Amino acid sequence: MKEKVSIIGAGNVGATLAQLVARSGLADIVLFDVVRDMPQGKALDLSESCPLWNVSVRIKGTNDYSDIKDSNIVVITAGIARKPGMSRDDLLTTNAAIIRAVSSELVRYCPDAVVIVVTNPMDAMAQVVLGGTGFEPNRIMGMGGILDSSRFRTFVADELGISYQDTEALVLGGHGDQMVPMPRYTTVRGIPITELMDRDKIESLIERTRNGGAEIVGLLRSGSAYYAPASSAFQMVKSVLLDEKRVVPCAALLNGEYGIKGVFAGVPVILGSNGVEKIIELQLDDSEKAAFLDSIKSLERLLSKI
């Protein structure tokens, strides 16, 4: 029997993720949305692509939560997207209400699922899922660290005129303006970027990474990024389905690591079939630690508003 991945929210991110999962052939897919007939139409379109991709997966579009029953993985993309001039945090109240409603359905229909949160503000929404489901913390995680790191990798590669494949990057903290890109752990074939470009250039790339989502929102004028967010979520889905034990940065619940307890924040983790199987605790220098703690304080202020 095939694994089952349910995607809550059939907008641009959800539908693109469904396409990536379908094309991989790794799992059957349920595409859920509250908008009548829309997920059914997208699922049919994707299903008609499967013969061309030589995959045999089943894709079901639905407005009925019961169809997510017994999912192995649930990816939550539902919620309102940013508009120009909005921060991720501006979405807090509306999306928290949506995620609470989703959480109750997860408890009802797939209490053993691994849950990947994409909805912004992502770290806070992961916290809402934890409170609304009572699931083990290792089974709940947020996607943002992979996305932020991929943006940093892209900007580094473009600046140096090298292949994207040869860059690695790490971004810690919240998926917002207080995220903490880490130059010391950002490398080109193992060479730290601190040896390849000057401090001012690195700082400009860090700033662009922090504003990476807003830059795309501004260019689109209507809507927000979805190709890279969906690709980031797919990397997580694949690592869980195949128990790949990938080391990736994602939002995990800290339980004393980095001196923080009870807050979801971006940190490097080992991601496998059980979800977050281990949080990797880095030895941060004084400036890195201060930036990380500032990011945590920003997250805590946001959580106090829920």
Side-chain angles (χ1 to χ4, degrees):
M1 186 174 177
K2 257 191 171 45
E3 302 287 277
K4 180 175 178 179
V5 174
S6 288
I7 301 167
I8 310 300
N12 286 335
V13 176
T16 304
L17 174 59
Q19 180 184 16
L20 293 169
V21 176
R23 194 159 190 175
S24 75
L26 290 175
D28 290 335
I29 301 155
V30 174
L31 191 57
F32 172 91
D33 205 286
V34 296
V35 178
R36 183 177 174 85
D37 294 333
M38 183 265 280
Q40 290 88 336
K42 292 189 177 183
L44 180 58
D45 193 9
L46 284 167
S47 295
E48 291 166 355
S49 302
C50 288
L52 305 172
W53 297 331
N54 295 315
V55 294
S56 297
V57 300
R58 295 290 181 261
I59 308 164
K60 182 179 181 65
T62 185
N63 308 116
D64 186 345
Y65 271 111
S66 66
D67 288 317
I68 73 171
K69 183 177 172 61
D70 298 329
S71 297
N72 301 93
I73 300 174
V74 176
V75 184
I76 305 175
T77 72
I80 61 171
R82 276 201 290 177
K83 298 176 182 177
M86 293 177 69
S87 71
R88 295 179 180 91
D89 296 354
D90 291 335
L91 309 175
L92 181 66
T93 303
T94 299
N95 284 350
I98 292 169
I99 301 307
R100 285 192 189 98
V102 172
S103 296
S104 65
E105 303 295 346
L106 300 185
V107 172
R108 183 178 182 185
Y109 291 113
C110 40
D112 298 318
V114 169
V115 183
I116 298 170
V117 180
V118 177
T119 305
N120 277 319
M122 186 213 66
D123 310 274
M125 294 305 100
Q127 205 94 27
V128 172
V129 172
L130 179 66
T133 61
F135 289 177
E136 295 93 337
N138 62 287
R139 292 197 284 123
I140 301 169
M141 65 210 74
M143 172 278 300
I146 295 177
L147 173 60
D148 297 330
S149 295
S150 184
R151 286 173 172 159
F152 198 18
R153 290 172 66 185
T154 300
F155 301 149
V156 166
D158 285 346
E159 177 63 29
L160 295 174
I162 61 173
S163 170
Y164 298 130
Q165 297 176 75
D166 289 337
T167 62
E168 289 293 339
L170 180 62
V171 178
L172 302 183
H175 179 54
D177 296 340
Q178 297 297 315
M179 70 179 70
V180 188
M182 302 284 286
R184 194 159 60 93
Y185 292 99
T186 298
T187 62
V188 175
R189 285 291 181 186
I191 305 167
I193 62 169
T194 51
E195 296 185 22
L196 299 173
M197 58 182 79
D198 62 37
R199 183 185 182 89
D200 288 345
K201 178 53 64 178
I202 291 172
E203 286 300 320
S204 72
L205 298 183
I206 286 174
E207 192 61 24
R208 191 178 182 195
T209 300
R210 287 180 175 140
N211 295 308
E215 182 178 356
I216 291 172
V217 169
L219 290 168
L220 293 176
R221 295 187 176 86
S222 176
S224 56
Y226 54 95
Y227 294 122
S231 298
S232 300
F234 175 67
Q235 186 178 78
M236 298 175 75
V237 167
K238 183 168 172 280
S239 190
V240 173
L241 286 177
L242 299 181
D243 194 27
E244 289 182 327
K245 314 292 190 190
R246 292 294 302 273
V247 177
V248 295
C250 68
L253 185 71
L254 299 178
N255 187 32
E257 298 89 355
Y258 298 93
I260 307 298
K261 194 167 186 176
V263 176
F264 276 87
V267 290
V269 306
I270 298 173
L271 194 60
S273 60
N274 293 317
V276 175
E277 299 192 350
K278 182 179 180 181
I279 292 173
I280 297 172
E281 191 166 5
L282 303 173
Q283 296 300 313
L284 305 181
D285 64 28
D286 290 343
S287 63
E288 291 165 346
K289 188 177 297 183
F292 184 72
L293 291 177
D294 282 346
S295 186
I296 296 297
K297 288 175 184 176
S298 178
L299 291 173
E300 290 173 336
R301 285 193 295 270
L302 192 63
L303 290 171
S304 70
K305 301 175 183 177
I306 299 178

